Amino acid sequence: MGRLLALSLLGVALALLGERFLALRNRLKASREVESIDLPNCHLIKGIEAGSEDIDILPNGLAFFSVGLKFPGLHSFAPNKPGGILMMDLKEEKPRALELRISRGFDLASFNPHGISTFIDNDDTVYLFVVNHPEFKNTVEIFKFEEEENFLLHLKTIRHELLPSVNDIIAVGPAHFYATNDHYFSDPFLKYLETYLSLHWANVVYYSPNEVKVVAEGFDSANGINISPDKKYVYVADILAHEIHVLEKQPNMNLTQLKVLKLDTLVDNLSIDPSSGDIWVGCHPNGQKLFVYDPNNPPSSEVLHIQNILSKKPTVTTVYANNGSVLQGSSVASVYDGKLLIGTLYHRALFCEL
């Protein structure tokens, strides 16, 4: 009788594991392939060889790149090289990506930048917020950008128990931000278990010097985050659920869900066109290829342009798609004055004239 019970329990456990495995493949879009959609005026950006996970562009055309991300389970083309922040002036006729110097005292050897966001204060001071994973831990670094010297002055390192697995960030003040946690846990094994079981425990946190709180939760894996030009709405990409959540910002900084846009791809970082409010998204058509890297069958890339997201029927256009022959693992797409920048998780970056 005892053996029969043990066999029954084993059968149930195996069936559950099998069901979860198939569900994970579906969340990763493991069977999806893309047909290439090319743009006519594109070239790879010199100096970016090992990822440009996030990009943020100032109103004056200065673009910041977060480069060199290393993450457990992800491929890296430069595993022993620290990450950095590059800058490109999009108003130049032939813009080049230059690495910004960072002030003394900041640990450059363990710099592992992820999501980034800029904030311009009332006195025109530019702050750069950077999600950092030194030794695979989780911090948010705040820098002051000194344009004349192409220099980042490190101001503050933020750690908090409500920021256990930070992915992306949107600054809303000189020391204030919303951040996504793509997992509830910080331990790598528990993260894998959380993903495998699809627990939907990921969340969004609001941080200020006076208050830190969870303001939205229930995500499969909260990833990219951004805010509308009028500052009324916050957009959150749920990468494994293939969704963009539209959240209304309340006076107390809490977020109330307004709607969800369902897509057919893994949505990563979100960029906002400040003139139109359109959303540009770097996407992964097949997430399994990201984590099981095969140089003969590399991860593909996809860029979506979303118009009128607040309407009943937003317009979703695939602007660019590639099977990995040019660009592998697109994670962000940002526009400025007819120019498009496409960054990747661990590969190259593309500059296009639209």
Side-chain angles (χ1 to χ4, degrees):
M1 188 67 179
R3 291 181 179 179
L4 182 60
L5 179 60
L7 284 173
S8 298
L9 291 174
L10 178 61
V12 170
L14 290 175
L16 177 62
L17 288 174
E19 186 274 332
R20 287 292 87 198
F21 176 74
L22 291 176
L24 180 60
R25 279 184 54 85
N26 183 57
R27 288 154 66 210
L28 290 172
K29 295 284 182 182
S31 300
R32 186 172 179 234
E33 301 291 341
V34 294
E35 293 186 11
S36 290
I37 298 175
D38 295 319
L39 291 169
N41 302 304
C42 295
H43 66 268
L44 293 168
I45 299 174
K46 186 177 180 180
I48 299 179
E49 314 286 343
S52 49
E53 200 278 338
D54 203 4
I55 300 170
D56 200 16
I57 306 175
L58 292 175
N60 63 2
L62 294 180
F64 296 90
F65 297 76
S66 161
V67 301
L69 175 66
K70 263 78 68 179
F71 219 66
L74 282 183
H75 181 71
S76 175
F77 286 102
N80 299 315
K81 184 180 178 181
I85 301 295
L86 304 189
M87 188 186 73
M88 175 182 282
D89 188 349
L90 299 180
K91 287 189 173 180
E92 292 182 354
E93 186 176 344
K94 295 182 178 180
R96 298 177 302 141
L98 304 173
E99 186 164 4
L100 295 176
R101 295 181 302 114
I102 298 178
S103 56
R104 287 189 178 186
F106 181 75
D107 186 1
L108 291 172
S110 67
F111 193 29
N112 191 10
H114 198 164
I116 61 175
S117 178
T118 55
F119 179 79
I120 304 175
D121 212 347
N122 293 330
D123 61 0
D124 293 330
T125 300
V126 177
Y127 297 94
L128 178 68
F129 292 63
V130 181
V131 175
N132 186 21
H133 303 293
E135 299 175 349
F136 302 128
K137 295 181 174 63
N138 292 271
T139 67
V140 173
E141 313 292 346
I142 302 179
F143 299 91
K144 177 183 176 183
F145 173 54
E146 298 183 356
E147 182 176 348
E148 291 184 2
E149 301 176 12
N150 288 338
F151 182 73
L152 293 173
L153 175 65
H154 183 247
L155 300 178
K156 188 176 184 180
T157 296
I158 295 170
R159 300 178 180 86
H160 197 276
E161 60 182 7
L162 291 181
L163 299 170
S165 185
V166 192
N167 187 297
D168 197 17
I169 189 169
I170 180 66
V172 293
H176 311 67
F177 58 83
Y178 290 103
T180 55
N181 284 306
D182 52 26
H183 291 81
Y184 178 82
F185 297 107
S186 57
D187 178 80
F189 174 74
L190 292 178
K191 283 185 175 184
Y192 290 134
L193 191 63
E194 182 184 344
T195 299
Y196 196 80
L197 296 177
S198 186
L199 295 180
H200 285 76
W201 288 357
N203 58 33
V204 177
V205 170
Y206 170 71
Y207 179 95
S208 76
N210 300 319
E211 182 181 32
V212 186
K213 58 183 178 179
V214 175
V215 291
E217 53 191 340
F219 301 96
D220 191 341
S221 183
N223 198 291
I225 187 169
N226 218 311
I227 195 166
S228 61
D230 60 11
K231 313 302 180 187
K232 292 181 179 180
Y233 305 100
V234 171
Y235 309 121
V236 177
D238 192 335
I239 186 168
L240 291 179
H242 324 132
E243 297 171 343
I244 296 176
H245 292 248
V246 180
L247 306 162
E248 190 171 10
K249 185 165 70 71
Q250 304 301 321
N252 62 359
M253 305 306 286
N254 286 344
L255 300 176
T256 304
Q257 182 154 293
L258 195 64
K259 65 177 295 185
V260 177
L261 177 64
K262 295 186 177 297
L263 299 163
D264 189 38
T265 188
L266 280 72
V267 286
D268 202 323
N269 287 310
L270 310 172
S271 298
I272 308 299
D273 184 335
S275 60
S276 65
D278 294 353
I279 302 175
W280 291 76
V281 195
C283 303
H284 307 290
N286 185 322
Q288 180 168 294
K289 292 183 181 182
L290 280 178
F291 299 102
V292 185
Y293 185 78
D294 179 357
N296 297 314
N297 188 22
S300 45
S301 293
E302 187 174 30
V303 172
L304 300 183
H305 176 203
I306 301 170
Q307 298 168 284
N308 303 314
I309 193 168
L310 296 175
S311 67
K312 290 184 178 180
K313 290 187 178 181
T315 302
V316 180
T317 306
T318 303
V319 175
Y320 176 84
N322 181 261
N323 62 6
S325 59
V326 176
L327 206 63
Q328 303 176 11
S330 56
S331 57
V332 63
S334 296
V335 294
Y336 178 85
D337 192 26
K339 302 174 180 67
L340 171 66
L341 301 174
I342 308 173
T344 63
L345 208 53
Y346 45 68
H347 191 230
R348 306 292 301 274
L350 204 61
F351 176 98
C352 302
E353 297 274 0
L354 294 174

